Structure formats: C-alpha cells, structure tokens
Amino acid sequence: MKPSLIVHGGAWDIPDEQAAACQAGCRRALEAGWAMLSRGGAALDAVEAAIVVLEDDPVFDAGTGSHLNLDGQVECDAIVMEGASLRAGAVAGLKRIRNPIRLARKLMENGPHMMLAGEGAERYAVAQGFSLCAPEELVTAAERAAWKLCREGKHAAAHHRGHDQGTVGAVALDGMGRLVAATSTGGTCCKLPGRIGDSPLIGCGCYADSGAGGVSCTGYGEGIMKIVMAKSAVDLLRRPVNAEESPADLAMLAAREAVRLLVERAESTGGLILLDCEGNPGYAFNTPRMAWGVVQPDGSFRTGL
Ligand code: GLY
C-alpha cells in the first residue's frame, strides 16, 4: 500500500507575520514523518515524529510554547489512536512533560488504561522512564507576555501566536496499511486550571478506524466535543462513493461536512485533517486560516493556510 501523511498546526486567525513560520513548521513535521514512512516505517512512528516536531516548535499551541492557563501555567493534552485495534492512549493536564505525544503513545502501548490525567499521568511517565521538565521550561516569553495582556482584559489575537487554537495533529497510513491519528495541544488561553478540551478525548479531537479513516481536529474544544467531530468525520467517510465522485472527492467532502456540522449544531469554529483508509487526504476549516501540510502522491510536500 502507498503510504500517506497529513499534518496540521491549528485552525485560527493566523496573522500574516506568523504565516511563514506555521507553514515551515508543518513542512518540518512532514519531513520527520515522511522520513520514516518512505523507508517502510510504521505509521505510529511517523505520527509521533511529526507531532514531536510540532510540539517543540513554539509557534504552535502544544508542548513548548503552549498557551497558559488562568494561573499562568502550561497544561497539555495529547492522544494517539491506532485504526486497526481501535486502541488509544490519551493524557491530559500535563505540566512537566516536554512531549506529551510520547507519553500518550507509551500509555497506548504499555498502559492498563486509555487515558490518564494530571499528577497520576506524570507519575506514570516517571514509572515508564520519562524525565520530568520544570513547568517553566514549556513557557515561552511570548506566551507569558500574551497571558499578562489577557489578564489585563486585552484578550486579542494580536497578542498571541496561536490565540485560541494552535493545536497540532497528524494522520498517517503506512505501507502495511496501518492507520494512526494523533493530536496534541496546550488548550485555550487563560483556561480554568483543570480544563480539558476536545483534543485528548477519543472521538472528539482524534479518531482512527482502519475500516474508514483517521482524523485529527483543531478549534474550539467546547464546540468540537458537542458534535464528537473526529468520529463524526470518520463516519462520513463510510458513505459509498457515488457515480459523480472519486474516493479523493469523498475525503474532502467528508472533511467539509464535519465542519458544516460544527457550525450548524455547535455554532463553533475549527477544522480538521483526515486520511481515508486508502490514504486519500481531506481537510477543512471555518476559521480565517488553518496551517496544514500533506505529502502528495509524487512524494513532494504541500503546505497551506
Ligand atoms: N482544540 C483544543 C482545545 O480546545 O483544547
């Protein structure tokens, strides 16, 4: 089977001066993931590698450079899901894990549960050999400054490099037909401590089923949760292709239909990326921009906003 990879760096009002950095970050994520897939590597490794690049890039709201909660702290959430087994690993409310996606993977592969939060998740991380960073190491000067402005009531996109939604995600299909989706986020700016959004919730921020496709969402979590957007999008991929369309058309149509549902039923904003089970990509958003990147059939990378 031909491998396939798609990534996103969040659906939000990306200002012009951040546009190049967001696209460059998506390109680096594609490079990291494709380096594995193109050599016969596993979709799980590719998705993890892509997300780590995005988590480490402070232009995105995940890992280092995440938005700060009301207390001025980073609290990260992440999930990875495997389409063949429907297994998932999800972690939430992390303050001291540099790459939450690595812990999500560890939980999926080794853990007795599918989701861990807060202090318990960090204890599990230590037990699994992860080292904890100091919480401040995930805080960038730009996010601290933005948080201060928000606390003064000047909450505006201009203060942020990912004001409300700079969540990241990746979906990969490997040569063996293994389909994996993943999402990682720092959540929303000035969220209440302990708030968990859609991202780490199976079916909301991420879903993968080898019988249909894999999805990673981005946007306003409280809206995305209402329509269980990732699972809804996967189910839209199950529709038979009609005479006027190709499977590639259906992948794009399913993405657009899921965003339409987000608007109609949740009056909310966001976006998503997906691959169907043949590797056809789709993406859609109703925000001014969404950073995305995809590996094209000839192996070249395409990014957009
Ligand atoms: N979609 C990210 C969040 O709401 O936390």
Side-chain angles (χ1 to χ4, degrees):
M1 181 166 263
K2 201 171 165 50
S4 191
L5 177 65
I6 187 166
V7 303
H8 74 78
W12 56 289
D13 191 2
I14 301 171
D16 288 344
E17 54 276 19
Q18 293 299 322
C22 285
Q23 287 202 73
C26 286
R27 177 168 287 271
R28 281 194 299 274
L30 289 177
E31 282 164 2
W34 196 243
M36 294 176 175
L37 288 176
S38 60
R39 291 186 199 123
L44 182 56
D45 292 330
V47 154
E48 181 185 21
I51 297 261
V52 164
V53 167
L54 298 165
E55 287 178 339
D56 287 345
D57 188 334
V59 80
F60 301 113
D61 175 28
T64 304
S66 288
H67 295 329
L68 306 187
N69 69 12
L70 208 54
D71 290 344
Q73 292 181 323
V74 163
E75 282 182 313
C76 290
D77 310 325
I79 182 170
V80 62
M81 182 164 184
E82 207 177 58
S85 62
L86 301 181
R87 284 191 308 165
V91 288
L94 306 178
K95 294 181 178 167
R96 298 184 293 168
I97 302 292
R98 191 171 293 284
N99 291 112
I101 197 65
R102 291 200 198 280
L103 185 57
R105 176 180 179 166
K106 185 65 83 176
L107 183 62
M108 182 176 83
E109 291 184 318
N110 292 358
H113 309 299
M114 270 162 83
M115 186 170 193
L116 287 175
E119 193 250 333
E122 292 184 352
R123 260 202 278 164
Y124 177 75
V126 171
Q128 293 292 316
F130 283 68
S131 50
L132 301 181
C133 64
E136 309 80 59
E137 288 177 53
L138 303 177
V139 179
T140 59
E143 282 303 321
R144 178 65 70 199
W147 172 80
K148 279 193 182 133
L149 285 168
C150 290
R151 294 301 311 264
E152 290 163 11
K154 297 174 189 153
H155 199 75
H159 305 324
H160 282 276
R161 297 147 333 131
H163 177 62
D164 276 331
Q165 295 100 12
T167 296
V168 306
V171 186
L173 179 75
D174 66 27
M176 309 271 286
R178 292 171 296 200
L179 182 69
V180 177
T183 304
S184 182
T185 190
T188 50
C189 175
C190 289
K191 63 188 178 182
L192 290 178
R195 178 263 187 192
I196 295 169
D198 62 297
S199 300
L201 303 183
I202 190 167
C204 294
C206 179
Y207 199 75
D209 181 340
S210 289
V215 174
S216 171
C217 298
T218 163
Y220 186 56
E222 281 71 7
I224 292 170
M225 285 187 268
K226 284 183 181 172
I227 62 155
V228 195
M229 189 154 87
K231 176 68 162 61
S232 297
V234 166
D235 287 342
L236 286 162
L237 289 167
R238 298 182 201 276
R239 172 172 76 70
V241 176
N242 65 41
E244 294 85 52
E245 65 191 13
S246 66
D249 295 333
L250 179 57
M252 284 303 283
L253 288 170
R256 285 188 203 131
E257 180 62 16
V259 171
R260 195 188 60 75
L261 202 59
L262 181 69
V263 176
E264 276 192 14
R265 294 297 293 126
E267 294 177 7
S268 199
T269 54
L272 78 162
I273 54 168
L274 61 80
L275 292 180
D276 71 13
C277 54
E278 302 294 321
N280 292 299
Y283 60 89
F285 51 97
N286 69 342
T287 46
R289 285 172 164 167
M290 179 176 83
W292 57 269
V294 66
V295 179
Q296 304 193 100
D298 65 0
S300 63
F301 299 155
R302 183 164 164 233
T303 62
L305 292 172

